[in-house]
Coordinates of all heavy atoms in Angstrom, one line a residue:
V1 N 99.7 166.8 93.5 CA 98.9 167.8 92.8 C 98.9 169.0 93.6 O 99.2 170.1 93.0 CB 97.5 167.2 92.5 CG1 96.7 168.3 91.8 CG2 97.5 166.0 91.7
Y2 N 98.6 168.9 94.9 CA 98.7 170.1 95.8 C 98.8 169.6 97.2 O 98.4 168.5 97.6 CB 97.4 171.0 95.6 CG 96.2 170.5 96.2 CD1 95.9 170.6 97.6 CD2 95.2 169.9 95.4 CE1 94.7 170.1 98.1 CE2 94.0 169.4 95.9 CZ 93.8 169.5 97.3 OH 92.6 169.0 97.8
E3 N 99.4 170.5 98.0 CA 99.4 170.4 99.5 C 98.8 171.6 100.1 O 99.1 172.7 99.6 CB 100.8 170.2 99.9 CG 101.5 168.8 99.6 CD 102.8 168.7 100.2 OE1 103.8 169.4 99.7 OE2 103.0 168.0 101.2
R4 N 98.1 171.4 101.2 CA 97.4 172.6 101.8 C 97.7 172.5 103.3 O 97.6 171.4 104.0 CB 95.9 172.5 101.6 CG 95.1 173.5 102.3 CD 94.5 172.9 103.6 NE 93.5 173.9 104.2 CZ 92.3 174.0 103.9 NH1 91.8 173.1 102.9 NH2 91.5 174.8 104.5
E5 N 98.0 173.6 103.9 CA 98.1 173.8 105.3 C 97.3 175.0 105.7 O 97.2 176.0 105.0 CB 99.6 173.9 105.8 CG 100.3 172.6 105.7 CD 101.6 172.5 106.5 OE1 101.9 173.6 107.1 OE2 102.3 171.5 106.5
T6 N 96.8 175.0 107.0 CA 96.0 176.1 107.4 C 96.7 176.9 108.5 O 97.2 176.2 109.5 CB 94.6 175.6 108.0 OG1 94.0 174.9 106.9 CG2 93.8 176.7 108.4
D7 N 96.8 178.1 108.4 CA 97.3 179.0 109.4 C 96.2 179.2 110.4 O 95.3 180.0 110.2 CB 97.7 180.4 108.8 CG 98.3 181.3 109.9 OD1 98.0 181.1 111.1 OD2 99.0 182.3 109.5
I8 N 96.2 178.4 111.5 CA 95.1 178.4 112.5 C 94.9 179.7 113.2 O 93.8 180.2 113.4 CB 95.3 177.3 113.5 CG1 95.4 175.9 112.8 CG2 94.2 177.3 114.6 CD1 94.2 175.5 112.1
Q9 N 96.0 180.4 113.5 CA 95.9 181.6 114.2 C 95.2 182.8 113.4 O 94.3 183.5 113.9 CB 97.3 182.2 114.6 CG 97.3 183.4 115.5 CD 98.6 183.9 115.9 OE1 99.6 183.1 115.8 NE2 98.8 185.0 116.6
N10 N 95.5 182.8 112.1 CA 94.9 183.8 111.2 C 93.8 183.3 110.4 O 93.2 184.0 109.6 CB 96.1 184.4 110.3 CG 97.1 185.1 111.1 OD1 96.8 186.0 111.8 ND2 98.4 184.7 110.8
Q11 N 93.5 182.0 110.5 CA 92.4 181.3 109.8 C 92.5 181.5 108.3 O 91.6 181.9 107.6 CB 91.1 181.9 110.3 CG 90.8 181.7 111.8 CD 89.5 182.2 112.3 OE1 88.6 182.7 111.4 NE2 89.2 182.2 113.5
V12 N 93.7 181.2 107.8 CA 94.0 181.4 106.4 C 94.5 180.1 105.8 O 95.4 179.4 106.4 CB 95.0 182.6 106.2 CG1 95.5 182.7 104.7 CG2 94.4 183.9 106.6
T13 N 94.2 179.9 104.5 CA 94.6 178.7 103.8 C 95.8 179.0 103.0 O 95.9 180.0 102.3 CB 93.5 178.2 102.9 OG1 92.3 177.8 103.7 CG2 93.9 177.0 102.1
K14 N 96.8 178.1 103.0 CA 98.0 178.2 102.2 C 98.1 176.9 101.3 O 98.0 175.8 101.8 CB 99.3 178.3 103.1 CG 99.3 179.5 104.0 CD 99.4 180.8 103.2 CE 99.5 182.0 104.1 NZ 99.6 183.3 103.3
I15 N 98.2 177.1 100.0 CA 98.2 176.0 99.1 C 99.6 176.0 98.3 O 100.0 177.0 97.7 CB 97.1 176.1 98.1 CG1 95.7 176.1 98.9 CG2 97.1 175.0 97.1 CD1 94.5 176.4 98.0
K16 N 100.2 174.8 98.2 CA 101.4 174.7 97.4 C 101.1 173.6 96.3 O 100.6 172.5 96.5 CB 102.5 174.1 98.3 CG 103.9 173.9 97.6 CD 104.9 173.3 98.5 CE 106.2 173.1 97.7 NZ 107.2 172.5 98.6
I17 N 101.3 174.0 95.1 CA 101.0 173.2 93.9 C 102.2 172.3 93.6 O 103.4 172.8 93.7 CB 100.6 174.1 92.7 CG1 99.4 175.0 93.0 CG2 100.4 173.3 91.5 CD1 98.2 174.2 93.4
G18 N 102.0 171.1 93.1 CA 103.0 170.2 92.7 C 103.8 170.7 91.6 O 103.4 171.5 90.8
S19 N 105.1 170.2 91.5 CA 106.0 170.7 90.5 C 105.6 170.4 89.0 O 106.0 171.2 88.1 CB 107.4 170.2 90.7 OG 107.4 168.7 90.7
K20 N 104.8 169.4 88.9 CA 104.3 169.0 87.5 C 103.1 169.7 87.1 O 102.6 169.5 85.9 CB 104.2 167.5 87.4 CG 105.5 166.7 87.6 CD 105.3 165.3 87.4 CE 106.7 164.5 87.5 NZ 106.5 163.0 87.4
I21 N 102.4 170.5 87.9 CA 101.2 171.1 87.7 C 101.4 172.5 87.1 O 102.2 173.3 87.6 CB 100.3 171.2 88.9 CG1 100.1 169.9 89.5 CG2 99.0 171.9 88.6 CD1 99.3 168.9 88.6
K22 N 100.8 172.8 85.9 CA 101.0 174.1 85.3 C 99.6 174.8 85.3 O 98.6 174.3 84.8 CB 101.4 173.9 83.8 CG 102.7 173.1 83.7 CD 103.9 173.7 84.4 CE 105.1 172.9 84.3 NZ 106.3 173.4 85.1
L23 N 99.6 176.0 85.9 CA 98.4 176.8 86.0 C 98.6 178.2 85.5 O 99.7 178.7 85.4 CB 98.0 176.9 87.5 CG 97.6 175.6 88.2 CD1 97.3 175.9 89.7 CD2 96.4 175.0 87.5
K24 N 97.5 178.9 85.1 CA 97.6 180.3 84.7 C 97.9 181.2 85.8 O 97.7 180.9 87.0 CB 96.2 180.7 84.0 CG 95.9 180.0 82.7 CD 94.6 180.5 82.1 CE 94.4 179.8 80.8 NZ 93.1 180.2 80.2
M25 N 98.5 182.3 85.5 CA 98.9 183.3 86.5 C 97.6 183.7 87.3 O 96.6 184.0 86.8 CB 99.4 184.6 85.8 CG 100.0 185.6 86.7 SD 101.5 185.2 87.5 CE 102.6 185.2 86.1
G26 N 97.8 183.8 88.6 CA 96.7 184.2 89.5 C 95.8 183.1 90.0 O 94.9 183.3 90.8
A27 N 96.0 181.9 89.4 CA 95.1 180.8 89.8 C 95.2 180.4 91.3 O 94.2 180.1 92.0 CB 95.3 179.6 88.9
I28 N 96.5 180.3 91.8 CA 96.7 179.9 93.1 C 96.1 180.9 94.1 O 95.4 180.5 95.1 CB 98.2 179.6 93.4 CG1 98.7 178.5 92.5 CG2 98.4 179.3 94.8 CD1 100.1 178.2 92.6
P29 N 96.4 182.2 94.0 CA 95.8 183.2 94.9 C 94.2 183.2 94.9 O 93.6 183.3 95.9 CB 96.3 184.5 94.4 CG 97.6 184.2 93.7 CD 97.4 182.9 93.1
A30 N 93.7 183.0 93.7 CA 92.2 182.9 93.6 C 91.7 181.7 94.3 O 90.7 181.7 95.0 CB 91.8 182.8 92.1
L31 N 92.4 180.6 94.2 CA 92.0 179.3 94.9 C 92.1 179.4 96.4 O 91.3 179.0 97.1 CB 92.8 178.2 94.4 CG 92.5 176.8 94.8 CD1 91.0 176.4 94.5 CD2 93.4 175.7 94.2
E32 N 93.2 180.1 96.9 CA 93.4 180.3 98.3 C 92.3 181.2 98.9 O 91.8 181.0 99.9 CB 94.8 180.9 98.5 CG 95.9 179.9 98.4 CD 97.3 180.6 98.7 OE1 97.4 181.8 98.5 OE2 98.2 179.8 99.0
T33 N 91.9 182.2 98.1 CA 90.9 183.2 98.5 C 89.6 182.5 98.7 O 88.8 182.7 99.6 CB 90.8 184.3 97.6 OG1 92.0 185.0 97.5 CG2 89.7 185.3 98.0
S34 N 89.3 181.5 97.8 CA 88.0 180.8 97.8 C 87.9 179.7 98.8 O 86.8 179.2 99.2 CB 87.6 180.3 96.4 OG 87.4 181.4 95.5
T35 N 89.1 179.2 99.2 CA 89.2 178.1 100.1 C 89.2 178.6 101.6 O 90.3 178.9 102.1 CB 90.4 177.2 99.8 OG1 90.4 176.9 98.5 CG2 90.4 176.0 100.7

């Protein structure tokens, strides 16, 4: 469904969505910003 890794140096979350998941435009950046 998703994989997440954290950039420890910059304290930033990176999220990769699974190939079968369909989301609206802008959903992933919004989710990364809130996480």
